[in-house]
C-alpha cells in the first residue's frame, strides 16, 4: 500500500526539512503539507490549509487524501508560549487531541514532537534519565508532558501507534526557529557571518542539549521505521547528540572567525534555559532503534558556517 503522509507545521523549523525528505521517500504527490498562516511562495508539493484544532476540517483533509500517516509538528515553542500561554495550551494540547482521536478513528500511524522542555528544575540536571521527575515550569513544557501522557494513554487504551521524540535544541542553516529558548544557538551563526558580533539572550555558561537538524530528521525517520515491537517508550524518547555552553560554541566559531565578538544580556528566556537539563541520557533510543548521531560541535560548526555563507551571499 502506498503511504499517504500528512505533515502539520510543515513550514516550521523541523517541518521544512522533514517534508522534502518525506517527498523523496514517498513521492511528492503522497505528502500533504497542512499550512496555516504562513505558506512559503516557493513551496512545491501538495498543500492544504487548516487549523489543527478543528477536527472536522482535519478529518476532511484525511479523507480527501486517504492519509495513512501523520507527522504532527504544529506547536507553539517555549518563548512564544510564555507570551501566549492560553494559545499554547489550545494549539499544543487540543491540536494533538484532534489527531489522536482521528488516529484511532482512521487507523493512522503517527509521529508527534515532544521536547527537552518536559524536564524542569526538579529533574536531574546532568545526563537526565528517560524516566524521571517531570515538573516543567513553562506552559510549553506543561503541554508537552500532557501530550506525552496522552500519547502513551492512546497507545495503551486504543492501540494507537503514535511515536515521539524529545527533541533538544535543533540547529540548521536552512530554516530559522520561531520563538524558542534555544534559538540563540542558530542566531549566533547568522550574526557571526553577517555582523561579526552577537548579543546572546542567555548567559555564557548556559548549557543545553542540542542537535544538528540532519541528525534530527534521520532520528525521526528511524523511530518511525522501527518495528512496533522494538518501541518500549510510548511517551517520548530522550533524543540528543551533543551539549555545549554558549561560550564553547563561541570558541568553536572563533576558530573560523577569529574577530567574532559575543556579548551577554540575559532576558526572561534565561529562566527557561536554567530549568532545562545540561545533557540528557538517550540510551533507550540507542538501544531500542539504533539511534546514533553523526554531528559533533566541530563538524556542525563547519557545516553551519560553510552553508550559511553560501546562503547569505546569494
Ligand atoms: N527548541 C525548543 C524551544 O526552545 C525546545 O523544544 O522552545
Amino acid at each position: 500500500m502506498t503511504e499517504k503522509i500528512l505533515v502539520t507545521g510543515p513550514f516550521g523549523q523541523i517541518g521544512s526539512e522533514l517534508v522534502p525528505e518525506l517527498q523523496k521517500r514517498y513521492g511528492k504527490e503522497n505528502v500533504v503539507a497542512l499550512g496555516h498562516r504562513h505558506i512559503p511562495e516557493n513551496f512545491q508539493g501538495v498543500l492544504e490549509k487548516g487549523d489543527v484544532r478543528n477536527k472536522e476540517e482535519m478529518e476532511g483533509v484525511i479523507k480527501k487524501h486517504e492519509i495513512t500517516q501523520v507527522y504532527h509538528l504544529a506547536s507553539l515553542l517555549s518563548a512564544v508560549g510564555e507570551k501566549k500561554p492560553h494559545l499554547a495550551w489550545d494549539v499544543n494540547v487540543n491540536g494533538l487531541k484532534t489527531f489522536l482521536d482521528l488516529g484511532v478513528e482512521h487507523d493512522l500511524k503517527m509521529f508527534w514532537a515532544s521536547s527537552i522542555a518536559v524536564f524542569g528544575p526538579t529533574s536531574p540536571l546532568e545526563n537526565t534519565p528517560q524516566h524521571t521527575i517531570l515538573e516543567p515550569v513553562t506552559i510549553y513544557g506543561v503541554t508537552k508532558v500532557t501530550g506525552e501522557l496522552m500519547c502513551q494513554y492512546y497507545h495503551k487504551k486504543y492501540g494507537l501507534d503514535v511515536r515521539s521524540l524529545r527533541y533538544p535544541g535543533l540547529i540548521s542553516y536552512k530554516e530559522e526557529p520561531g520563538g524558542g529558548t534555544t534559538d540563540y544557538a542558530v542566531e549566533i551563526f547568522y550574526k557571526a557571518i553577517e555582523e561579526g558580533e552577537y548579543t546572546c539572550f542567555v548567559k555564557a555558561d548556559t548549557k543545553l542539549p542540542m542537535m544538528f537538524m540532519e541528525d534530527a530528521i534521520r532520528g525521526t525517520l528511524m523511530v518511525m521505521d522501527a518495528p512496533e515491537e522494538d518501541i518500549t517508550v510510548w511517551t517520548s524518547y530522550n533524543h540528543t547528540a551533543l551539549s555545549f555552553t554558549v561560550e564553547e560554541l563561541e570558541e568553536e566559531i572563533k576558530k573560523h572567525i577569529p574577530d567574532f565578538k559575543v556579548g551577554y544580556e540575559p532576558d526572561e528566556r534565561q529562566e527557561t534555559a536554567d530549568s532545562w537539563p545540561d545533557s540528557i541520557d538517550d540510551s533507550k533510543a540507542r538501544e531500542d532503534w539504533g539511534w546514533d548521531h553523526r554531528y559533533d560541535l566541530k563538524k556542525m560548526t563547519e557545516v553551519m558556517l560553510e552553508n550559511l555563507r553560501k546562503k547569505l551571499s546569494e
Side-chain angles (χ1 to χ4, degrees):
M1 188 183 72
T2 318
E3 298 291 347
K4 296 276 284 189
I5 319 282
L6 178 67
V7 183
T8 74
F11 308 120
Q13 202 200 4
I14 302 171
S16 44
E17 296 193 36
L18 183 64
V19 168
E21 279 308 308
L22 292 170
Q23 287 177 329
K24 259 189 237 160
R25 237 185 201 220
Y26 297 105
K28 239 180 205 162
E29 65 287 2
N30 293 317
V31 179
V32 180
L34 185 94
H36 187 216
R37 256 177 282 171
H38 309 290
I39 317 286
E41 278 167 24
N42 58 358
F43 175 67
Q44 297 199 349
V46 186
L47 178 70
E48 288 284 349
K49 277 193 194 177
D51 187 325
V52 294
R53 294 166 293 177
N54 185 330
K55 191 175 174 210
E56 228 171 277
E57 213 171 76
M58 293 304 104
E59 185 158 37
V61 173
I62 286 168
K63 282 187 177 160
K64 178 177 164 192
H65 295 277
E66 298 177 332
I67 296 297
T68 60
Q69 289 191 21
V70 176
Y71 287 77
H72 179 44
L73 307 175
S75 176
L76 266 69
L77 288 184
S78 58
V80 73
E82 288 311 295
K83 295 205 164 73
K84 300 175 181 176
H86 300 286
L87 186 65
W89 175 268
D90 201 19
V91 172
N92 295 8
V93 177
N94 295 331
L96 173 62
K97 174 82 166 41
T98 306
F99 278 99
L100 291 175
D101 288 332
L102 289 170
V104 174
E105 289 158 25
H106 294 271
D107 196 19
L108 305 171
K109 181 172 174 177
M110 288 184 46
F111 177 85
W112 173 70
S114 188
S115 159
I116 52 163
V118 293
F119 302 115
T122 53
S123 312
L125 196 66
E126 292 284 349
N127 215 22
T128 311
Q130 174 69 48
H131 302 289
T132 188
I133 298 166
L134 300 178
E135 294 182 333
V137 289
T138 61
I139 188 67
Y140 178 65
V142 171
T143 66
K144 292 296 179 186
V145 173
T146 308
E148 287 192 1
L149 294 173
M150 287 294 277
C151 287
Q152 179 175 254
Y153 182 76
Y154 271 64
H155 174 71
K156 183 172 169 284
K157 180 87 177 172
Y158 305 111
L160 181 67
D161 185 353
V162 52
R163 306 174 184 196
S164 176
L165 297 178
R166 288 173 179 158
Y167 291 114
L170 298 177
I171 298 172
S172 161
Y173 57 86
K174 292 187 185 156
E175 195 63 40
E176 288 178 74
T181 301
T182 56
D183 293 11
Y184 65 85
V186 180
E187 280 173 16
I188 194 169
F189 286 100
Y190 279 82
K191 296 285 182 184
I193 293 172
E194 288 181 310
E195 296 172 26
E197 54 183 40
Y198 177 55
T199 306
C200 186
F201 58 77
V202 294
K203 290 187 286 188
D205 63 353
T206 305
K207 187 176 178 186
L208 287 170
M210 299 279 177
M211 187 181 291
F212 188 54
M213 187 62 88
E214 197 180 300
D215 273 341
I217 300 297
R218 210 165 42 79
T220 306
L221 297 174
M222 281 175 83
V223 72
M224 286 299 272
D225 284 346
E228 193 170 345
E229 58 273 18
D230 290 352
I231 304 292
T232 64
V233 175
W234 290 97
T235 48
S236 187
Y237 277 96
N238 280 9
H239 188 227
T240 192
L242 60 156
S243 281
F244 50 79
T245 64
V246 195
E247 209 161 28
E248 284 163 347
L249 179 57
E250 178 188 342
E251 290 311 316
E252 196 60 38
I253 294 173
K254 277 183 180 157
K255 289 180 188 164
H256 304 265
I257 308 175
D259 294 337
F260 182 41
K261 286 190 180 47
V262 182
Y264 292 90
E265 285 177 21
D267 66 14
E268 69 285 351
R269 288 170 280 189
Q270 183 70 51
E271 197 185 330
T272 300
D274 288 344
S275 76
W276 292 350
D278 286 4
S279 59
I280 63 173
D281 173 6
D282 65 357
S283 48
K284 269 274 160 214
R286 291 171 195 264
E287 279 160 25
D288 285 2
W289 40 273
W291 169 238
D292 194 10
H293 67 278
R294 291 183 183 161
Y295 285 83
D296 59 14
L297 181 58
K298 182 173 178 283
K299 189 170 165 195
M300 184 187 79
T301 304
E302 281 166 11
V303 174
M304 279 297 287
L305 290 173
E306 190 191 324
N307 285 283
L308 267 185
R309 276 197 179 110
K310 271 190 227 149
K311 179 176 156 180
L312 296 171
S313 67
E314 272 164 11

